[in-house]
Amino acid sequence: HWKVLFDQFDPGNTGYISTGKFRNLLESHSSKLDPHKREVLLALADSHADGQICYQDFVNLMSNKRSNSFRQAILQGNRRLCSKALLEEKGLNLSQRLIRHVAYETLPREIDRKWYYDSYTCCPPPWFMVTVTLLEVAFFLYNGVSLGQFVLQVTHPRYLKNSLVYHPQLRAQAWRYLTYIFMHAGIEHLGLNVVLQLLVGVPLEMVHGATRIGLVYVAGVAAGSLAVSVADMTAPVVGSSGGVYALVSAHLANIVMNWSGMKCQFKLLRMAVALICMSMEFGRAVWLRFHPSAYPPCPHPSFVAHLGGVAVGITLGVVVLRNYEQRLQDQSLWWIFVAMYTVFVLFAVFWNIFAYTLLDLKLPPPPW
């Protein structure tokens, strides 16, 4: 479809069309385009210094595939746009106001906010964060009923016998490095994690998609358990704090790095509240770790998973959030952080295979 349309403006089959012809093409199809998207495309046409657009750029533009060159061109072309901001638009229904609110919560550039506002269709919906949250709540309720305890479940003598918990004696069971997120220390632990991943994770998934946000979340979860296996070798791990802290720290870092562009209301106050909540949860985890254990000699769950999540958030997470609809494989910083993460995972794997034996570490017995 796009090739036929492109060839109409490229009779010589050169692979290029002039920006003037591209503008004519947009004008002839203006009734089919959202007004904000049309502004973006016209800004791109104006920004091409050589006056030509190649076929691949044309396809990327018309099919919403945005490259790094697209971003640079838009940032130049955006200087020529004088249309009103999304916040000034009136007569929006409830769903349109929600989409606009999400755009201002997560995106620092007005041109990106307009593009998202026109492109978002809620298909698919933000299913990943909702599904993970429902599973965490379901497992917590099941354990609460079976143990007869909902507050500080982790102090129950049978708590660690669950096959989802990461335990240092059972570290060869690889699924435990991920499934520990479905076990929480108590309702106070679960409550804060659920609130943070819904308030922060769902809007981020609406903007960046389940694949990217799921990648950051799972990377934070895996980094959390691996960090514990390296830095707190005798402790078990429970809770989704590794994934939650990866998302929240990435979002907060993105706000700080784009402070002037972020237009969310009361951003300083909200950042302060988020940091206080994260600090309180981290403090609770530290206190619990060194509190006398209910199942000696095994200590209570480690707090190091929180730090692993933060490390993922301020590296991989920030690159994802700073590149809205850009191809990550075009970003050199993305590959640098992927390489760093891969090195860490490989190091942790070899550490788990050899270090426990070489250090002659006395581990707590299996929770049978």
Side-chain angles (χ1 to χ4, degrees), residues 5-239:
L5 193 59
F6 187 87
D7 287 344
Q8 294 178 7
F9 293 85
D10 181 29
N13 199 28
T14 62
Y16 293 88
I17 60 175
S18 67
T19 54
K21 291 181 178 179
F22 181 67
R23 292 180 66 87
N24 292 337
L25 176 62
L26 291 178
E27 294 290 346
S28 63
H29 290 75
S30 59
S31 60
K32 303 177 183 178
L33 290 173
D34 292 308
H36 297 143
K37 189 172 294 185
R38 179 174 171 274
E39 291 175 9
V40 173
L41 296 175
L42 287 173
L44 179 67
D46 289 341
S47 67
H48 273 66
D50 58 1
Q52 290 185 319
I53 296 176
C54 71
Y55 174 68
Q56 189 56 55
D57 282 343
F58 175 79
V59 173
N60 289 345
L61 294 180
M62 302 305 285
S63 57
N64 292 355
K65 295 180 180 178
R66 305 174 68 185
S67 63
N68 193 49
S69 59
F70 182 100
R71 162 175 284 186
Q72 297 303 320
I74 287 301
L75 291 179
Q76 297 174 22
N78 188 36
R79 302 190 186 107
R80 301 178 176 87
L81 296 179
C82 301
S83 59
K84 61 182 180 181
L86 276 177
L87 280 178
E88 300 174 6
E89 297 203 3
K90 308 297 182 182
L92 302 182
N93 59 37
L94 181 61
S95 63
Q96 290 173 324
R97 290 200 298 270
L98 174 62
I99 295 171
R100 182 178 66 178
H101 174 75
V102 170
Y104 276 94
E105 286 291 310
T106 56
L107 296 171
R109 299 176 181 85
E110 182 67 17
I111 206 72
D112 283 337
R113 292 192 282 261
K114 289 183 176 182
W115 187 277
Y116 167 74
Y117 177 81
D118 289 321
S119 302
Y120 185 71
T121 61
C122 198
C123 184
W127 62 269
F128 177 80
M129 294 309 309
V130 173
T131 302
V132 169
T133 301
L134 291 176
L135 287 174
E136 291 172 0
V137 172
F139 277 105
F140 175 79
L141 294 176
Y142 173 79
N143 286 312
V145 171
S146 62
L147 298 176
Q149 185 173 338
F150 289 91
V151 179
L152 284 177
Q153 282 185 0
V154 71
T155 60
H156 195 284
R158 298 201 316 269
Y159 181 82
L160 290 184
K161 294 183 179 181
N162 194 291
S163 60
L164 300 179
V165 175
Y166 168 84
H167 191 282
Q169 278 283 16
L170 304 173
R171 63 189 185 279
Q173 298 176 356
W175 69 84
R176 293 176 180 265
Y177 289 91
L178 297 177
T179 58
Y180 75 91
I181 68 170
F182 300 117
M183 299 290 294
H184 283 79
I187 193 169
E188 67 289 342
H189 186 198
L190 173 73
L192 185 58
N193 279 348
V194 164
V195 169
L196 286 176
Q197 68 187 23
L198 288 179
L199 290 182
V200 177
V202 170
L204 290 179
E205 185 178 347
M206 290 175 64
V207 173
H208 298 280
T211 301
R212 292 189 173 191
I213 297 305
L215 174 65
V216 175
Y217 188 86
V218 173
V221 169
S225 54
L226 289 172
V228 171
S229 70
V230 172
D232 197 1
M233 300 167 66
T234 62
V237 190
V238 297

